[in-house]
Amino acid sequence: MSSTHATGTSGTSVSSGAPYAPPASRTSGMPGAEPGAPPPPPAPAGGARGPAIGVDVGGTKVAAGVVDEHGRIVGSVRRPTPGHEPALVADTIAEVVGELLARHAVGLEAPIGIGAAGWLDRDGARVMFAPNLAWRDEPLRDIISDRLGRPVIVDNDANTMAWAEYRFGAGRGCSELVCVTVGTGIGSGLVLDGKVRHGAFGVGAEFGHMQVVPAGLPCGCGGQGCWEQYASGRALVRHAREIVGGSSAAGRRLLELAGGDLERLTGPDVTTAAREGDPAAVKCFEEVGYWLGQGLASLTAVLDPARFVIGGGVSDAGELLLGPARAQFRAALPGRGHRPEAEIVLAHLGPDAGFVGAADLARTIKLGRA
């Protein structure tokens, strides 16, 4: 992450202090998770070996945690995002940080990092635009610093997830990686040469908004044909509803899982049906996986990463998603057969990655190493 994101002028949410234990399906690559796994990353040199606090702010939830230098979660808290009014969101951020400070011995000098679901300026001071929150040119960094009376750093939430996976998860040992979160939309972060890359104006690596279909489906960013309209949870549910609407027989299981109400059909419903082997649901994942692989191949032509780390709620389907994605990636890869292929792997850290990465970025920036 650029050191220019480290400035700010202004620290005080929730589980017990038990160490974080990742879900069994996500343990591969976690520190000490399995014989032969890479060792935990070294603790930062200097005076920031203690815990840091990270906050992940999304359209539906605010999650925060105390994180040690090995990426282990000491304590955490979650709150619903209180509507989209900026002042209420700032209140909630301050409250969860205050709660963590009160419950855990983190010290007054503990770094604080925030991952925000929006497009930030180069300095990490302002959220210029957020599609799911009412942040428009919002000076979030200074607002939170003033509330807490201590400095904070702010970055895009997909960047903080990418940093967490690079440091502690599926990206460990790989200094050139792209992290893609396949949720309602697509979030993405880029780590090159061991640094989070932001672009000239701070809003780089928004790969979900690259156009894959000219004059295609409209997107919330104002464009048309964006990648996230074809390779996301929203696309998965759209395909499923189209199948149910077109054939009650083909979509029978999907409709059952939705309680007979097509509008209540969700991404997890589609995942459940696909795991059961339902042909219609499997077809939905094949479609989304196709577009995911197509986009990854295009990114390879530009970035040539060693590894793609795929996270987000849709990735819970595992090979149902990654199998078709890898197949299309290989089919669409420029120069296929004559070049090394990037790995496409599942993220390891699950929904906590955003605040784990935010905490570690804050610690790293405090040391002047980012």
Side-chain angles (χ1 to χ4, degrees), residues 48-359:
R49 285 181 174 270
I53 292 176
V55 184
D56 182 16
V57 186
T60 60
K61 59 106 174 71
V62 176
V66 177
V67 182
D68 74 10
E69 61 266 30
H70 299 298
R72 292 182 291 239
I73 299 169
V74 178
S76 65
V77 61
R78 280 171 173 75
R79 301 269 180 83
T81 303
H84 293 169
E85 186 64 33
L88 295 176
V89 175
D91 288 343
T92 301
I93 295 171
E95 287 169 6
V96 297
V97 172
E99 190 172 343
L100 288 170
L101 286 169
R103 292 186 177 228
H104 301 280
V106 297
L108 294 175
E109 299 304 314
I112 300 175
I114 298 170
W119 296 358
L120 280 80
D121 64 10
R122 176 67 182 175
D123 293 333
R126 291 179 172 270
V127 183
M128 296 186 287
F129 171 75
N132 297 310
L133 290 162
W135 286 330
R136 300 292 185 271
D137 198 30
E138 180 75 8
L140 182 66
R141 186 191 65 193
D142 292 343
I143 287 172
I144 301 303
S145 292
D146 290 344
R147 296 280 185 100
L148 299 177
R150 57 200 293 172
V152 300
I153 69 101
V154 184
D155 206 335
N156 174 269
D157 60 342
N159 289 340
T160 64
M161 176 193 169
W163 183 258
E165 292 290 343
Y166 161 68
R167 285 275 288 145
F168 308 114
R172 283 167 59 199
C174 179
S175 62
E176 314 280 334
L177 66 91
V178 173
C179 188
V180 177
T181 60
V182 186
T184 302
I186 286 181
S188 47
L190 174 64
V191 177
L192 296 179
D193 297 323
K195 295 180 182 293
V196 176
R197 300 300 180 176
H198 299 89
F201 304 108
V203 292
E206 287 287 350
F207 303 131
H209 297 288
M210 64 181 184
Q211 187 183 65
V212 296
V213 178
L217 294 169
C219 182
C221 73
Q224 288 182 276
C226 292
W227 190 26
E228 72 170 38
Q229 296 303 315
Y230 299 88
S232 65
R234 183 184 293 111
L236 184 74
V237 172
R238 185 179 68 244
H239 291 313
R241 288 174 175 169
E242 288 171 353
I243 288 172
V244 174
S247 170
S248 57
R252 182 176 59 214
R253 179 58 180 146
L254 291 168
L255 193 58
E256 287 175 357
L257 289 168
D261 183 354
L262 187 58
E263 293 304 310
R264 293 174 57 192
L265 186 67
T266 66
D269 292 335
V270 184
T271 300
T272 296
R275 285 175 174 159
E276 294 173 353
D278 178 70
V282 170
K283 182 177 176 62
C284 293
F285 275 101
E286 290 174 348
E287 180 74 10
V288 169
Y290 169 91
W291 285 109
L292 179 60
Q294 184 71 35
L296 297 181
S298 296
L299 290 175
T300 298
V302 179
L303 299 171
D304 191 29
R307 191 174 301 163
F308 289 101
V309 177
I310 311 299
V314 179
S315 74
D316 289 343
E319 289 303 311
L320 288 165
L321 175 69
L322 262 56
R326 291 193 186 104
Q328 182 56 24
F329 174 77
R330 294 185 181 112
L333 184 66
R336 59 189 177 277
H338 302 284
R339 61 181 292 171
E341 290 185 13
E343 299 176 276
I344 302 174
V345 301
L346 285 173
H348 289 167
L349 301 184
D352 297 327
F355 72 73
V356 170

